[in-house]
Amino acid sequence: MFSPKEIEYFNKIKTPFYYYNIDRLKDILTRVKNASERFGFVVHYAMKANANDRLLAIIREFGFGADCVSGNEVQKAIDMGFSPNEIAFAGVGKSDDEINLGIDNNIFSFNCESTQEIEVIDEFAAKKGKVARIALRINPNVKANTHHYITTGLEENKFGINRWEFDKVLELLRNKKNVKLVGIHFHIGSQITDFDAFKSLCIRVNEVQNYFIENQILLEHINVGGGLGIDYEHPDNLDVPDFDAFFKLFDRFLELRPKQKLHFELGRAMVAQCGDLITRVLFVKNGINTNFAIVDAGMTELIRPALYQAYHKIENITSKLGIDFYDVVGPICESSDTFGKTVQMAETKRGDLIAIRSTGAYGEVMASQYNLRNLAKSYYSEDI
Ligand code: LLP
C-alpha cells in the first residue's frame, strides 16, 4: 500500500527503481531483535539478500552480525562497521584471496564445506602465525520443501560436509594447529514456510551434536543458517513470518549444551517486505487470450520470476479503473522475462505505475546489465 505522497514522489523519478520503506524495515528488525533476544539467540544478517548501504547501516545499528558468502561481502561488512568477530563466512568455493582476507580480519568463523578447505585455511593461517576459527558446515540431509534451486541441505546438493566424512574431519583436525573448531553450521534452503522442516533440522542437529560429544568435543556455537520464508501473497502483512514462533521452535527442539550459543543467518525474512520494484507501463497490447502490460523493468532488475518461477504480487498503483487481467512482461528479449501471468489488476494504460511487491530480498543484489541496461537506482521513504 502506498500513500498519495509516495505516488506523487514516484511520478517524479525515472523508472524502474527500487523503493525501500525504512519504517517497515525498522519494524521488521525490531520484531527479529525482540524475538531472538528473548531466547538469547544471535542473528547474523545474510548480506546476500540485500547489500544496499542504507539498509546495511540500519541493520548494523540494530546490532545484528553479518553472514557473508564472498570476500567482497566480508569487506563490505567490515566497511559498514560490522565487527569482524560477528562475521560468519560461508561458501563452497572460497578463493585464496578470500581466505586470506578472513584470516587477516580474525572473523568469527569460516564455515567450511570440505576437508580440503580446512587444510588450505590451516596452511594460510600457519603462514601468518594465526589460528583461524572454523565451523563445519554440515549437510543435514533434511528436505526443505521449497523450490529445488534454493534447496541446499540434501546429500545431492553441493553444500556442506556429509556424515560419512565426519571421522575423517576429526582426524584431520587433530593434526591441524592453525584452525580452531568453534562450531557446526547448517542451512537447509530458503523461502521455507513449513516449520516442520526446521523441526527436522533441530532433530538432526541434536544427532550431529551427540556425535561430537561422544568424541569429547564441546562446540562454542551451533549455527542453523537462515531460510525463514515470507508471505509473498500479502506484502503488507508483517505478522508473517512469526519470528516468535520460529525462535521458540528452536528453543524447544534443539538441545543446546551449557554455554553453547545458537546462531541464525536470516536474509529474506529481514528485508524482503521493505522493498518494492516500481516500474512504468510502456505499452499495452492484446494477445490471444490475455492482454500484455509491457513495463520498463525486466528480468535484469528482478530475476526471481524468470529463474525460480517465483510469485510476486503485482499492483497497478495509479489506475482507479475496474479490474482486468494482464500478463505483466518486461522489455528483455527472452520469453522468461515475465513478472506474472494473468495478473488481476486495475485496468492498465501506458504511463501507469506498477509496483512489484516484496522485492527487498534477492532483487537489487541479483540485478544484471544484460542487454546493456542501466542498473536501477534506489530510493528511500526517509527522503520523501
Ligand atoms: N545462510 C546460508 C548459508 C545461505 O546459503 C543462505 C541463502 C542464507 C543463510 C540466507 O537465507 P534466507 O534467510 O535469505 O532464506 N536467490 C534466492 C535465494 C537464495 C538463497 C541462498 N542462500 C531467491 O531469490 O529466492
Side-chain angles (χ1 to χ4, degrees):
M1 213 123 69
F2 299 94
S3 68
K5 202 168 146 201
E6 284 175 312
I7 291 174
E8 192 188 322
Y9 182 73
F10 294 169
N11 262 315
K12 290 184 212 144
I13 310 171
K14 195 166 152 41
T15 50
F17 58 86
Y18 275 97
Y19 175 68
Y20 294 107
N21 185 321
I22 300 300
D23 287 339
R24 275 171 154 257
L25 174 65
K26 289 182 177 168
D27 184 339
I28 300 165
L29 297 180
T30 305
R31 289 166 191 248
V32 179
K33 192 173 159 71
N34 290 345
S36 56
E37 281 181 353
R38 185 164 318 140
F39 299 102
F41 297 161
V42 182
V43 176
H44 301 251
Y45 167 61
M47 259 173 79
K48 65 174 82 63
N50 193 323
N52 175 304
D53 282 9
R54 292 270 290 259
L55 271 53
L56 283 179
I58 295 166
I59 292 167
R60 173 69 209 118
E61 265 169 41
F62 269 75
F64 297 107
D67 160 45
C68 303
V69 283
S70 72
N72 287 349
E73 281 190 4
V74 171
Q75 190 58 57
K76 176 96 177 181
I78 294 169
D79 293 347
M80 293 301 299
F82 287 86
S83 161
N85 64 24
E86 291 169 350
I87 296 178
F89 182 14
V92 277
K94 300 178 188 76
S95 71
D96 294 4
D97 285 350
E98 291 176 321
I99 291 173
N100 279 320
L101 178 77
I103 297 172
D104 289 342
N105 286 287
N106 306 315
I107 58 169
F108 171 71
S109 72
F110 283 94
N111 294 343
C112 296
E113 309 226 7
S114 64
T115 48
Q116 200 164 33
E117 183 187 337
I118 298 170
E119 287 174 317
V120 172
I121 295 175
D122 180 73
E123 182 194 324
F124 289 6
K127 276 192 202 139
K128 295 171 190 286
K130 288 194 162 196
V131 177
R133 293 167 55 89
I134 64 163
L136 303 178
R137 175 164 183 181
I138 288 165
N139 187 331
N141 202 23
V142 168
K143 212 166 181 252
N145 294 329
T146 183
H147 190 278
H148 62 283
Y149 279 12
I150 49 177
T151 291
T152 47
L154 289 177
E155 280 165 5
E156 68 198 47
N157 301 128
K158 67 179 173 182
F159 301 99
I161 294 170
N162 290 307
R163 59 197 155 154
W164 56 85
E165 296 171 302
F166 288 1
D167 289 345
K168 192 172 136 202
V169 171
L170 290 198
E171 184 56 37
L172 177 73
L173 286 174
R174 271 190 270 278
N175 304 315
K176 300 293 174 197
K177 300 284 164 270
N178 296 86
V179 285
K180 181 181 181 210
L181 179 65
V182 292
I184 45 176
H185 172 235
F186 303 80
H187 175 76
I188 56 173
S190 200
Q191 183 49 22
I192 299 166
T193 49
D194 172 8
F195 276 26
D196 278 349
F198 292 120
K199 187 176 161 191
S200 304
L201 172 63
C202 291
I203 292 164
R204 186 76 189 107
V205 172
N206 294 340
E207 287 167 13
V208 174
Q209 161 102 302
N210 285 339
Y211 169 87
F212 283 89
I213 303 270
E214 279 161 20
N215 283 280
Q216 281 79 48
I217 296 173
L218 184 58
L219 301 156
E220 270 177 30
H221 79 271
I222 300 208
N223 180 341
V224 286
L228 180 59
I230 60 141
D231 185 354
Y232 280 99
E233 309 264 343
H234 303 100
D236 294 312
N237 180 11
L238 299 191
D239 290 332
V240 175
D242 183 341
F243 292 106
D244 270 313
F246 174 70
F247 290 120
K248 201 169 180 173
L249 181 142
F250 282 89
D251 183 60
R252 178 153 171 229
F253 294 106
L254 197 149
E255 292 161 20
L256 284 182
R257 308 291 157 143
K259 293 199 187 145
Q260 203 168 52
K261 280 275 182 196
L262 188 57
H263 290 237
F264 292 79
E265 301 168 341
L266 297 180
R268 185 189 320 264
M270 290 170 72
V271 289
Q273 299 293 32
C274 81
D276 298 290
L277 175 61
I278 310 294
T279 177
R280 202 176 280 283
V281 178
L282 295 173
F283 307 108
V284 178
K285 74 172 181 181
N286 300 111
I288 297 178
N289 300 316
T290 179
N291 306 311
F292 290 103
I294 303 161
V295 298
D296 62 3
M299 62 196 285
T300 40
E301 284 68 46
L302 178 69
I303 201 172
R304 302 194 70 256
L307 191 57
Y308 317 113
Q309 298 81 45
Y311 171 83
H312 285 266
K313 191 162 190 209
I314 302 176
E315 296 166 358
N316 184 324
I317 56 174
T318 48
S319 169
K320 305 239 175 333
L321 304 171
I323 295 296
D324 208 341
F325 292 90
Y326 299 88
D327 280 8
V328 180
V329 300
I332 311 297
C333 305
E334 306 263 351
S335 290
S336 60
D337 186 31
T338 297
F339 289 119
K341 283 194 179 289
T342 334
V343 177
Q344 186 180 345
M345 59 182 187
E347 208 176 301
T348 295
K349 56 181 188 330
R350 173 173 162 81
D352 285 352
L353 285 177
I354 304 283
I356 304 178
R357 310 291 316 271
S358 315
T359 51
Y362 305 111
E364 195 183 341
V365 273
M366 293 181 81
S368 80
Q369 291 195 286
Y370 183 40
N371 289 190
L372 278 190
R373 283 166 61 83
N374 295 323
L375 289 175
K377 290 194 176 155
S378 300
Y379 297 88
Y380 309 87
S381 58
E382 282 177 330
D383 300 338
I384 298 188

